[in-house]
Amino acid sequence: MPGKLKVKIVAGRHLPVMDRASDLTDAFVEVKFGNTTFKTDVYLKSLNPQWNSEWFKFEVDDEDLQDEPLQITVLDHDTYSANDAIGKVYIDIDPLLYSEAATVISGWFPIYDTIHGIRGEINVVVKVDLFNDLNRFRQSSCGVKFFCTTSIPKCYRAVIIHGFVEELVVNEDPEYQWIDRIRTPRASNEARQRLISLMSGELQRKIGLKVLEMRGNAVVGYLQCFDLEGESGLVVRAIGTACTLDKLSSPAAFLPACNSPSKEMKEIPFNEDPNPNTHSSGPSTPLKNQTYSFSPSKSYSRQSSSSDTDLSLTPKTGMGSGSAGKEGGPFKALLRQQTQSALEQRGGSPHRFCRRREFPFFTLTAFPPGFLVHVGGVVSARSVKLLDRIHNPAFVGIMGNTRSYKLLDWNSFNSDEPETRDAWWAEIRQEIKSHAKALGCHAVVGYSESTSICEEVCILSASGTAAVLNPRFLQDGTVEGCLEQRLEENLSTRCGFCHIPYDELNMPFPAHLTYCYNCRKQKVPDVLFTTIDLPTDATVIGKGCLIQARLCRLKKKAQAEANATAISNLLPFMEYEVHTQLMNKLKLKGMNALFGLRIQITVGENMLMGLASATGVYLAALPTPGGIQIAGKTPNDGSYEQHISHMQKKINDTIAKNKELYEINPPEISEEIIGSPIPEPRQRSRLLRSQSESSDEVTELDLSHGKKDAFVLEIDDTDAMEDVHSLLTDVPPPSGFYSCNTEIMPGINNWTSEIQMFTSVRVIRLSSLNLTNQALNKNFNDLCENLLKSLYFKLRSMIPCCLCHVNFTVSLPEDELIQVTVTAVAITFDKNQALQTTKTPVEKSLQRASTDNEELLQFPLELCSDSLPSHPFPPVKEHLESASSNSGIPAAQRATSVDYSSFADRCSSWIELIKLKAQTIRRGSIKTTVTVEKASPVGDGNFRNRSAPPCANSTVGVVKMTPLSFIPGAKITKYLGIINMFFIRETTSLREEGGVSGFLHAFIAEVFAMVRAHVAALGGNAVVSYIMKQCVFMENPNKNQAQCLINVSGDAVVFVRESDLEVVSSQQPTTNCQSSCTEGEVTT
Amino acid sequence: MTSELDIFVGNTTLIDEDVYRLWLDGYSVTDAVALRVRSGILEQTGATAAVLQSDTMDHYRTFHMLERLLHAPPKLLHQLIFQIPPSRQALLIERYYAFDEAFVREVLGKKLSKGTKKDLDDISTKTGITLKSCRRQFDNFKRVFKVVEEMRGSLVDNIQQHFLLSDRLARDYAAIVFFANNRFETGKKKLQYLSFGDFAFCAELMIQNWTLGAVGEAPIDLDSQMDDMDMDLDKEFLQDLKELKVLVADKDLLDLHKSLVCTALRGKLGVFSEMEANFKNLSRGLVNVAAKLTHNKDVRDLFVDLVEKFVEPCRSDHWPLSDVRFFLNQYSASVHSLDGFRHQALWDRYMGTLRGCLLRLYHD
């Protein structure tokens, strides 16, 4: 009996009129937890009842506390007939279960009904008394903190980052049960909401258990998703990164952080082969290597370029052993080995969970200083599956039972069954892991998983960025001194994150390497693709921008296996084209790296959609990108030639314009750089673009002749022409606007405090007549572009501002419908300062330091004096350095070319019934340098009293919402717990509610309101890392019906404006230290 | 390619003041888009007409959802669905309850009933205000009326408390409610020259001086107190006004009053002779208006009477406003010197307000 839950129902307001005769309501409340239900008295004839109930006490296991939501139902008493339900409130009491978070939930909650929406509000107070339970067989995991934030939360310090945790639970979907035919839509919706709430609770508890098993105390980057598989059931799955976090609650904690070795590093260059041209004459430099395995057995022998995809789990010390003597190879190998062993050590114990640690994956996208050593590039895998009913006899008969749904952990029941959801994911993860290995990396960061389901076909996707990590964070104190020493040396170069991690003599794919433009010592690729955020200390020239690749492919309607086969056939072509588009657009912007890359492939009845979003930047350490060169197919035709040259001119103009727009002015390197960014046309070899789907047209191209100095587009048919046109139709945002899909915009650092989070949804209906791929592409492209234009127009009052964390989601709800959902946040910034800071990165870092929530604001002087010496290589200086030392690079090396050859033969090689299709995309590499910024948060104790909702004027406290992990101009002082909510809304009077737009608009507004109300009740004033994970909309206008499911999550926090903080700290400079020390003891 | 669904929802609800105004003015989405295009917004922002259409639709939908809350403004403050900064909330409310001068003149003093609502078509045609906007304004009047009708206490305070209006707007509504309650006739042709401001001014004076609330301490006896303090004229006071009749009925008193006024004003008035000639008619008019106020019918015609009996005669003789002021001041003050007249307080309560009203009503 380890917990007592206490609930008090205080009052209601704005209730709907339930009795037409009196225009009033006789309301009472049922409070239910588990199997126990309490009722309040009936408050007669009022729309604003004051129940002021006693404390309802539930004595429950902490296991139940974690799984079950508190369910509050408001009803209208009716003497003669059944009581009418007004609506419900589900309260997740999880935040009350860990000591540092909220202590009480108290506030006004919207009363929600799945048919009518919000109907008034109810004031509730909830408390939990937890008793200590020392039972070591316990099933609960109270105390493990969960964060949606994909970086180390602002007021914590990572002691150890343990690694990947995942879990999934499955159940039947109540909507598809036989009973659904006889119950009301409301009952069905509520059953679903409750079931998912229960499943999420259980999932979270189980993940918590795994974390405790690993001796961690928190999950960071927690991502939970639902797969609505329809007939075959409901899957709730989650991934995250287990960590041991230390709360930074006193200035004392700040000091060790300061003294961490990362700060004291000096630049000690490696002894290197001084000959830069040894390897540069090798074959061309494909940026991507796609591998498709078409049978579960994974015949990796077919992969020509990546010979190293050995699946054995023994640590491999890098691939090209022959080159180990050069180029820092021994160090890299050593590092890899150690990381690997660190990762596998913990998995080595003969434990039930050891299987999971096979996967050295991290869902984080931003890292503590020094964590990320090398980055190898994007790895991704996709698999097409046929959904089958999840067969398990244990399901039968339990659904009606009130002590409810025994949720099944599929792993424990059917771990041998090959076709379970868990096995599917394991397969994909294995694939990802092997791809990472091929890139010379033993870890994957920025890892995420997603699904797309249409009827009985499901595409599972996983992607991440292969990386080499610093074992210091993975393993506590077991690192040998010498290695650490070397590690620090390596980290001290700020450009280090661009250096390739794999061995260049035995590269996993042909890549075009040059010496780093910054340090001149290590090799870098010409283009980098990654799924992570831009490392904070990366040197970027100019600003970044949102880059999207959009693609549609028609497919024949088919059933089951035939359908899966068709999809599998299309996938490689989609991937190929998406990447071509991304690359072209990146070149067009004059940039050389992509961050936050997210490729979404959506499957519909008769088409496949691909949408890739990323933030392009110009990394100072990478070579200047070559231009785009257009080559005609029939070069002798005069008018054609003219046309081509016209296009070429347009492209060149666009590149020049973009460089100006994004302020990309890389330092002039030397006189040896020949001419314009567009090199002369004759010397380059050509990239053949395959426009047809028949694979035999695509043959291996020998691209190894001559020097590649430009990216060539060959226009061989009208399709290609269209593509080139579409390249040029992307309109840049209006002046004063920037956009990116990463946390912050590279090149802008002086955010002001105004933020506006929004969700925008569009659905278009395609005219079904003679749809072609081109028409489809154009429609889709227009849809996305118009949507962006609308956003810019709507937010024009915020100029200058930046749309951050722009997150597009595409779904295909019906045959001819395309739905695009966008969630992003607009943040204003100070234009004048922005201009300055791009010129003076030192200042920029300082500014960043001051906006960073982790900084010690009470000691501004110390901060400055500390951080100045800790930037020994300010980027300005680096520019100069690189400028002066870059003279040895021949112009040819700046160019890019692409080899898509190897995928072609693989495309034709799929053999049997497609059960698995996966592929990898590898792209460039990234490495990290040391972050000189110190993680030096203050305890939040000092400011706890100031955490009350800031708006005194209004009766409703303002709650900010943002998809970012921080709030500009403010300091997060406390994390109150995870918000994870699932709502269903249904209507049978669609027209009366303003049609589909009115219906969905109201619903999304209601969802926001419910999230805000829950945060406010926890005592918070903001949600960070907010994400709308699902927005499934279905309509039936003929029946005047519509239904929508929305799933959102985020971290509830308390933040304090920095201006307020300064007041506090200046008022009580001496008492701060003491009070926060004691506070720290209390809370930790 | 047709857009099936197109929405934008911000955590902070976006309010575009220009679109709000178009919506309040009752324009359809199509008309509003056309008007916005004409305003040159496309050139300023580089947006397309489609973007404008989508934006306008979005705002209209938001306003439509907000309208329910605007009917009870305190709900707007307490609701959780739309996060709107307080200054914006105030703007939404204030603009929603704002009305057109032309419209209010048409319905001022009319019963706020379904019958009147049916006439809104005509009013719309006559004033050029869209029917939708007319309906909103009419419904606002009616809603405020219904809410404060049964309430005790200061009319302006009640309105402010329940509708969160600015002081200025709350006073206007008080006048509208007061006029609607007392059904003052304002539509006659000879009253057409008067603005809403003129009537609102008079209403305020009358509320301050002629209603039950004006007596000061409200009667404590709650049960017997059926009249609304600020909305209904003080019946007792109206009864008492009959006593003033002696001022014109008693010939000596009337002569004495006239000589007092004439003595005081001789040489100071440009229109002295006209005044002297008309004194008895004017005085009779003003006192008779007072004496008749016991009948509801005559209360309704108060403004018609005042204009007929006082404003028009003076105007036909081309009295300047300053002379009217001199005359009215002297006319009311001189009564204090009439020894035989015992109702000085009653006279002051009546004439004080009437003087203010007449001065306001006296213009072209």
Side-chain angles (χ1 to χ4, degrees), chain A residues 13 756-765 779 793-794 796 955 959 961 996-997 1001 1009 1012 1035, chain B residues 1-2 4-12 16 52 54-55 58 61-62 65 77-78 80-81 83:
Chain A
R13 66 183 181 193
Q756 166 71 292
M757 189 281 298
F758 59 85
T759 292
S760 187
V761 184
R762 272 196 192 185
V763 177
I764 56 161
R765 184 176 291 281
N779 279 331
F793 181 75
K794 280 205 173 287
R796 66 192 185 282
T955 43
V959 175
M961 292 167 74
V996 285
S997 295
H1001 191 146
R1012 288 193 300 258
E1035 55 167 325
Chain B
M1 184 178 88
T2 50
E4 284 274 303
L5 184 159
D6 179 6
I7 57 160
F8 175 97
V9 191
N11 184 36
T12 304
D16 186 312
L52 207 58
S54 138
D55 181 65
D58 238 4
R61 209 162 35 234
T62 308
M65 284 190 264
L77 259 65
H78 291 101
L80 302 174
I81 299 177
Q83 186 160 276

Side-chain angles (χ1 to χ4, degrees), chain A residues 640-651 653:
Chain A
Y640 191 68
E641 196 88 317
Q642 200 177 0
H643 180 69
I644 294 285
S645 69
H646 177 67
M647 297 269 281
Q648 180 71 60
K649 187 172 174 298
K650 259 169 89 179
I651 285 181
D653 289 350

